[in-house]
């Protein structure tokens, strides 16, 4: 049953995006192909894993967050166990941090 849904949903979206259909349906299909997007998400929690080379952290929610150099030029300022507050966007399924606050 699950594999049938996986086949039907893309086919239905393709029909919605056919020429002459609404631009909203076409945009939905395009967004589905690259992953979810979202802006202005916030989360707080301790860092459970840190990878300074990749500029990523994982919080206790199990999600990975990418911290661009423009947001935090010194990733060494972060440490495992440190409590942080993040504001982030979701771009192509990746959590991209826009703001970091390290809790004291």
């Amino acid at each position: 049953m699950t594999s049938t849904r996986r086949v039907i949903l893309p086919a239905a979206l393709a029909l919605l995006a056919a020429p002459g259909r609404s631009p909203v349906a076409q945009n939905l299909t395009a967004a589905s192909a690259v992953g979810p997007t979202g802006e202005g998400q916030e989360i707080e929690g301790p860092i459970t894993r840190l990878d300074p080379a990749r500029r990523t952290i994982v919080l206790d929610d199990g999600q990975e967050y990418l911290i661009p150099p423009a947001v935090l030029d010194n990733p060494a300022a972060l440490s495992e166990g440190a409590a942080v507050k993040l504001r982030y966007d979701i771009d192509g399924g990746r959590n991209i941090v826009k703001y970091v606050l390290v809790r004291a």
Side-chain angles (χ1 to χ4, degrees):
M1 176 107 177
T2 303
S3 61
T4 304
R5 283 190 203 147
R6 289 183 185 155
V7 172
I8 292 173
L9 182 58
L13 288 174
L15 286 174
L16 288 173
R21 296 288 181 179
S22 116
V24 173
Q26 291 174 358
N27 288 340
L28 174 63
T29 303
S32 301
V34 296
T37 60
E39 293 184 10
Q41 309 289 320
E42 284 191 4
I43 189 162
E44 293 185 54
I47 298 172
T48 60
R49 195 168 58 235
L50 176 67
D51 186 341
R54 290 182 49 225
R55 301 189 66 87
T56 60
I57 61 173
V58 175
L59 297 186
D60 63 346
D61 69 345
Q63 294 291 313
E64 183 177 78
Y65 300 87
L66 174 68
I67 304 175
V71 174
L72 183 67
D73 60 355
N74 182 12
L78 301 174
S79 61
E80 288 186 13
V84 294
K85 179 178 182 178
L86 305 177
R87 186 170 300 131
Y88 66 98
D89 294 342
I90 302 170
D91 186 7
R94 295 197 67 193
N95 301 319
I96 310 296
V97 175
K98 301 297 178 190
Y99 170 82
V100 178
L101 174 65
V102 180
R103 299 281 187 188

